[in-house]
Amino acid sequence: MNQEELLYAETHEWVHVESGVATIGITAFAAEQLTDLVYMELPEVGRQLNVGEEFGEVESVKAVSPLYSPVAGEVIEANTELPGKLDLLGSDAFGSGWMIKVRISGEPDASKLLSHEAYQKQCAEGN
């Protein structure tokens, strides 16, 4: 995916919306910050999510980090290969490292999401 066309949450999740379906993952920056990933939990298909709701977690040897949904809707697919291949979060975070697909309810509130440029600025500032 073209990173410049994605939207980003301040909590380092990225989202790509196409035909009412949002594909969600975490950024390569977030994966690099976590380092040494050891475990991931993703939601079950059919779960309803609200904007900002925790949908899973990723654990490194340093910390456990919750994953937050940048959109509201129903989980229609989870990347079941990912928990066994956590290295994809670092090597292909915006491709095969996607986490979940959500059939969004309504339009995503872009005012609460960041553009690529704004996200890069946030990372440069150390947030």
Side-chain angles (χ1 to χ4, degrees), residues 7-41:
L7 293 173
Y8 300 85
E10 291 180 355
T11 49
H12 304 284
E13 291 84 5
W14 58 262
V15 60
H16 175 260
V17 178
E18 183 174 331
S19 301
V21 175
T23 303
I24 300 168
I26 63 169
T27 65
F29 175 82
E32 288 172 19
Q33 296 298 307
L34 291 168
T35 68
D36 299 326
L37 300 175
V38 295
Y39 175 76
M40 168 173 278
E41 180 179 315

Short mmCIF file of all heavy atoms in Angstrom, two decimals, residues 7-41:
data_model
loop_
_atom_site.label_atom_id
_atom_site.label_comp_id
_atom_site.label_asym_id
_atom_site.label_seq_id
_atom_site.Cartn_x
_atom_site.Cartn_y
_atom_site.Cartn_z
N LEU A 7 -4.35 6.74 6.23
CA LEU A 7 -4.60 7.61 7.37
C LEU A 7 -4.02 6.92 8.60
O LEU A 7 -3.90 5.69 8.63
CB LEU A 7 -6.10 7.85 7.55
CG LEU A 7 -6.76 8.65 6.43
CD1 LEU A 7 -8.28 8.67 6.62
CD2 LEU A 7 -6.20 10.06 6.37
N TYR A 8 -3.68 7.70 9.61
CA TYR A 8 -2.97 7.17 10.77
C TYR A 8 -3.63 7.66 12.06
O TYR A 8 -4.05 8.80 12.16
CB TYR A 8 -1.51 7.63 10.76
CG TYR A 8 -0.77 7.17 9.54
CD1 TYR A 8 -0.82 7.92 8.35
CD2 TYR A 8 -0.05 6.00 9.55
CE1 TYR A 8 -0.16 7.48 7.21
CE2 TYR A 8 0.61 5.56 8.41
CZ TYR A 8 0.56 6.31 7.25
OH TYR A 8 1.19 5.87 6.12
N ALA A 9 -3.66 6.77 13.05
CA ALA A 9 -4.09 7.16 14.39
C ALA A 9 -2.87 7.62 15.18
O ALA A 9 -1.75 7.18 14.90
CB ALA A 9 -4.75 5.96 15.08
N GLU A 10 -3.08 8.46 16.14
CA GLU A 10 -1.97 8.92 16.97
C GLU A 10 -1.32 7.75 17.72
O GLU A 10 -0.18 7.85 18.16
CB GLU A 10 -2.44 9.98 17.96
CG GLU A 10 -2.81 11.28 17.29
CD GLU A 10 -3.29 12.34 18.26
OE1 GLU A 10 -3.43 12.04 19.46
OE2 GLU A 10 -3.56 13.47 17.80
N THR A 11 -2.07 6.65 17.84
CA THR A 11 -1.57 5.47 18.55
C THR A 11 -0.84 4.51 17.61
O THR A 11 -0.61 3.35 17.95
CB THR A 11 -2.74 4.75 19.25
OG1 THR A 11 -3.81 4.57 18.30
CG2 THR A 11 -3.24 5.55 20.43
N HIS A 12 -0.48 4.97 16.41
CA HIS A 12 0.37 4.28 15.45
C HIS A 12 -0.29 3.19 14.61
O HIS A 12 0.39 2.40 13.98
CB HIS A 12 1.64 3.73 16.13
CG HIS A 12 2.43 4.78 16.83
ND1 HIS A 12 3.23 5.69 16.15
CD2 HIS A 12 2.51 5.11 18.13
CE1 HIS A 12 3.78 6.51 17.03
NE2 HIS A 12 3.36 6.18 18.23
N GLU A 13 -1.63 3.14 14.61
CA GLU A 13 -2.29 2.24 13.68
C GLU A 13 -2.47 2.98 12.35
O GLU A 13 -2.68 4.19 12.34
CB GLU A 13 -3.68 1.82 14.19
CG GLU A 13 -3.65 0.91 15.40
CD GLU A 13 -3.52 1.66 16.71
OE1 GLU A 13 -3.54 2.91 16.70
OE2 GLU A 13 -3.35 1.01 17.76
N TRP A 14 -2.39 2.24 11.25
CA TRP A 14 -2.69 2.83 9.94
C TRP A 14 -4.00 2.22 9.46
O TRP A 14 -4.39 1.12 9.89
CB TRP A 14 -1.56 2.60 8.93
CG TRP A 14 -1.19 1.17 8.66
CD1 TRP A 14 -0.14 0.49 9.21
CD2 TRP A 14 -1.84 0.25 7.76
NE1 TRP A 14 -0.11 -0.79 8.73
CE2 TRP A 14 -1.13 -0.97 7.83
CE3 TRP A 14 -2.94 0.33 6.92
CZ2 TRP A 14 -1.50 -2.09 7.09
CZ3 TRP A 14 -3.30 -0.79 6.18
CH2 TRP A 14 -2.59 -1.98 6.26
N VAL A 15 -4.68 2.94 8.57
CA VAL A 15 -5.95 2.46 8.03
C VAL A 15 -6.06 2.82 6.55
O VAL A 15 -5.69 3.92 6.15
CB VAL A 15 -7.16 3.01 8.84
CG1 VAL A 15 -7.20 4.52 8.82
CG2 VAL A 15 -8.46 2.43 8.32
N HIS A 16 -6.52 1.85 5.78
CA HIS A 16 -6.79 2.04 4.35
C HIS A 16 -8.24 1.67 4.12
O HIS A 16 -8.66 0.56 4.45
CB HIS A 16 -5.87 1.15 3.52
CG HIS A 16 -6.17 1.21 2.06
ND1 HIS A 16 -6.91 0.25 1.41
CD2 HIS A 16 -5.86 2.13 1.13
CE1 HIS A 16 -7.01 0.57 0.13
NE2 HIS A 16 -6.39 1.71 -0.06
N VAL A 17 -9.03 2.61 3.60
CA VAL A 17 -10.45 2.37 3.37
C VAL A 17 -10.71 2.27 1.88
O VAL A 17 -10.32 3.14 1.11
CB VAL A 17 -11.31 3.49 3.98
CG1 VAL A 17 -12.79 3.24 3.70
CG2 VAL A 17 -11.06 3.61 5.48
N GLU A 18 -11.39 1.17 1.52
CA GLU A 18 -11.77 0.97 0.12
C GLU A 18 -13.09 0.23 0.08
O GLU A 18 -13.22 -0.84 0.71
CB GLU A 18 -10.69 0.17 -0.62
CG GLU A 18 -10.97 0.00 -2.10
CD GLU A 18 -9.81 -0.67 -2.82
OE1 GLU A 18 -8.65 -0.52 -2.40
OE2 GLU A 18 -10.10 -1.36 -3.81
N SER A 19 -14.06 0.77 -0.62
CA SER A 19 -15.39 0.16 -0.78
C SER A 19 -16.01 -0.21 0.55
O SER A 19 -16.60 -1.29 0.70
CB SER A 19 -15.30 -1.07 -1.69
OG SER A 19 -14.78 -0.73 -2.95
N GLY A 20 -15.89 0.64 1.54
CA GLY A 20 -16.53 0.43 2.83
C GLY A 20 -15.80 -0.54 3.76
O GLY A 20 -16.31 -0.88 4.82
N VAL A 21 -14.63 -1.00 3.35
CA VAL A 21 -13.85 -1.92 4.19
C VAL A 21 -12.53 -1.24 4.55
O VAL A 21 -11.81 -0.76 3.68
CB VAL A 21 -13.59 -3.25 3.47
CG1 VAL A 21 -12.66 -4.14 4.30
CG2 VAL A 21 -14.90 -3.98 3.19
N ALA A 22 -12.25 -1.23 5.85
CA ALA A 22 -11.00 -0.66 6.35
C ALA A 22 -10.02 -1.78 6.66
O ALA A 22 -10.35 -2.72 7.37
CB ALA A 22 -11.26 0.16 7.61
N THR A 23 -8.83 -1.68 6.10
CA THR A 23 -7.73 -2.58 6.44
C THR A 23 -6.87 -1.83 7.45
O THR A 23 -6.53 -0.67 7.23
CB THR A 23 -6.92 -2.95 5.20
OG1 THR A 23 -7.80 -3.53 4.23
CG2 THR A 23 -5.81 -3.94 5.54
N ILE A 24 -6.53 -2.50 8.55
CA ILE A 24 -5.85 -1.85 9.68
C ILE A 24 -4.59 -2.62 10.05
O ILE A 24 -4.58 -3.85 10.07
CB ILE A 24 -6.80 -1.76 10.89
CG1 ILE A 24 -8.04 -0.94 10.53
CG2 ILE A 24 -6.08 -1.18 12.11
CD1 ILE A 24 -9.16 -1.04 11.54
N GLY A 25 -3.55 -1.89 10.37
CA GLY A 25 -2.31 -2.49 10.86
C GLY A 25 -1.60 -1.48 11.75
O GLY A 25 -2.15 -0.43 12.07
N ILE A 26 -0.39 -1.81 12.17
CA ILE A 26 0.42 -0.83 12.88
C ILE A 26 1.59 -0.45 11.98
O ILE A 26 2.00 -1.22 11.12
CB ILE A 26 0.92 -1.31 14.27
CG1 ILE A 26 1.84 -2.53 14.15
CG2 ILE A 26 -0.24 -1.56 15.19
CD1 ILE A 26 2.57 -2.87 15.45
N THR A 27 2.12 0.70 12.20
CA THR A 27 3.17 1.22 11.33
C THR A 27 4.51 0.53 11.61
O THR A 27 4.73 -0.04 12.69
CB THR A 27 3.34 2.73 11.53
OG1 THR A 27 3.81 2.97 12.86
CG2 THR A 27 2.05 3.47 11.28
N ALA A 28 5.41 0.63 10.64
CA ALA A 28 6.76 0.09 10.81
C ALA A 28 7.45 0.81 11.97
O ALA A 28 8.21 0.19 12.72
CB ALA A 28 7.55 0.24 9.51
N PHE A 29 7.17 2.10 12.13
CA PHE A 29 7.75 2.87 13.23
C PHE A 29 7.37 2.24 14.57
O PHE A 29 8.21 2.05 15.45
CB PHE A 29 7.27 4.32 13.18
CG PHE A 29 7.72 5.16 14.35
CD1 PHE A 29 8.99 5.72 14.36
CD2 PHE A 29 6.88 5.37 15.44
CE1 PHE A 29 9.42 6.48 15.45
CE2 PHE A 29 7.30 6.13 16.52
CZ PHE A 29 8.57 6.69 16.53
N ALA A 30 6.09 1.89 14.72
CA ALA A 30 5.61 1.28 15.96
C ALA A 30 6.27 -0.07 16.19
O ALA A 30 6.71 -0.38 17.31
CB ALA A 30 4.09 1.13 15.94
N ALA A 31 6.37 -0.88 15.13
CA ALA A 31 7.00 -2.20 15.26
C ALA A 31 8.46 -2.05 15.67
O ALA A 31 8.96 -2.82 16.50
CB ALA A 31 6.88 -2.96 13.95
N GLU A 32 9.16 -1.05 15.10
CA GLU A 32 10.55 -0.83 15.46
C GLU A 32 10.69 -0.41 16.91
O GLU A 32 11.64 -0.81 17.60
CB GLU A 32 11.16 0.26 14.57
CG GLU A 32 11.39 -0.18 13.14
CD GLU A 32 11.81 0.97 12.25
OE1 GLU A 32 12.26 2.01 12.77
OE2 GLU A 32 11.67 0.82 11.02
N GLN A 33 9.76 0.41 17.39
CA GLN A 33 9.81 0.87 18.77
C GLN A 33 9.59 -0.28 19.76
O GLN A 33 10.16 -0.29 20.83
CB GLN A 33 8.77 1.97 19.01
CG GLN A 33 9.01 3.22 18.19
CD GLN A 33 10.33 3.90 18.54
OE1 GLN A 33 10.61 4.18 19.69
NE2 GLN A 33 11.15 4.13 17.52
N LEU A 34 8.72 -1.23 19.37
CA LEU A 34 8.43 -2.35 20.27
C LEU A 34 9.59 -3.33 20.34
O LEU A 34 9.91 -3.82 21.41
CB LEU A 34 7.17 -3.07 19.80
CG LEU A 34 5.87 -2.29 19.97
CD1 LEU A 34 4.74 -2.97 19.22
CD2 LEU A 34 5.53 -2.16 21.45
N THR A 35 10.22 -3.62 19.23
CA THR A 35 11.34 -4.58 19.11
C THR A 35 11.04 -5.93 19.76
O THR A 35 10.28 -6.03 20.70
CB THR A 35 12.66 -4.05 19.71
OG1 THR A 35 12.53 -3.94 21.12
CG2 THR A 35 13.06 -2.73 19.10
N ASP A 36 11.66 -6.94 19.25
CA ASP A 36 11.58 -8.30 19.79
C ASP A 36 10.15 -8.73 20.14
O ASP A 36 9.84 -9.06 21.29
CB ASP A 36 12.48 -8.44 21.03
CG ASP A 36 13.94 -8.19 20.71
OD1 ASP A 36 14.36 -8.54 19.59
OD2 ASP A 36 14.63 -7.63 21.57
N LEU A 37 9.29 -8.74 19.13
CA LEU A 37 7.90 -9.11 19.34
C LEU A 37 7.78 -10.60 19.64
O LEU A 37 8.45 -11.43 19.01
CB LEU A 37 7.07 -8.75 18.10
CG LEU A 37 7.09 -7.26 17.74
CD1 LEU A 37 6.36 -7.02 16.43
CD2 LEU A 37 6.49 -6.43 18.86
N VAL A 38 6.93 -10.94 20.59
CA VAL A 38 6.80 -12.34 21.00
C VAL A 38 5.37 -12.88 20.93
O VAL A 38 5.15 -14.09 20.93
CB VAL A 38 7.36 -12.56 22.42
CG1 VAL A 38 8.86 -12.31 22.45
CG2 VAL A 38 6.64 -11.69 23.44
N TYR A 39 4.37 -12.00 20.89
CA TYR A 39 2.97 -12.47 20.96
C TYR A 39 2.05 -11.42 20.38
O TYR A 39 2.30 -10.21 20.51
CB TYR A 39 2.58 -12.74 22.42
CG TYR A 39 1.15 -13.12 22.61
CD1 TYR A 39 0.69 -14.39 22.29
CD2 TYR A 39 0.23 -12.19 23.11
CE1 TYR A 39 -0.64 -14.73 22.47
CE2 TYR A 39 -1.10 -12.53 23.29
CZ TYR A 39 -1.53 -13.79 22.97
OH TYR A 39 -2.85 -14.12 23.13
N MET A 40 0.96 -11.88 19.78
CA MET A 40 -0.06 -10.97 19.27
C MET A 40 -1.43 -11.60 19.46
O MET A 40 -1.59 -12.81 19.26
CB MET A 40 0.15 -10.68 17.79
CG MET A 40 -1.03 -9.98 17.14
SD MET A 40 -0.68 -9.50 15.49
CE MET A 40 0.20 -7.99 15.87
N GLU A 41 -2.39 -10.79 19.83
CA GLU A 41 -3.77 -11.23 19.95
C GLU A 41 -4.62 -10.36 19.04
O GLU A 41 -4.54 -9.13 19.10
CB GLU A 41 -4.26 -11.10 21.39
CG GLU A 41 -5.69 -11.56 21.58
CD GLU A 41 -6.13 -11.43 23.03
OE1 GLU A 41 -5.36 -11.83 23.92
OE2 GLU A 41 -7.22 -10.92 23.25
#
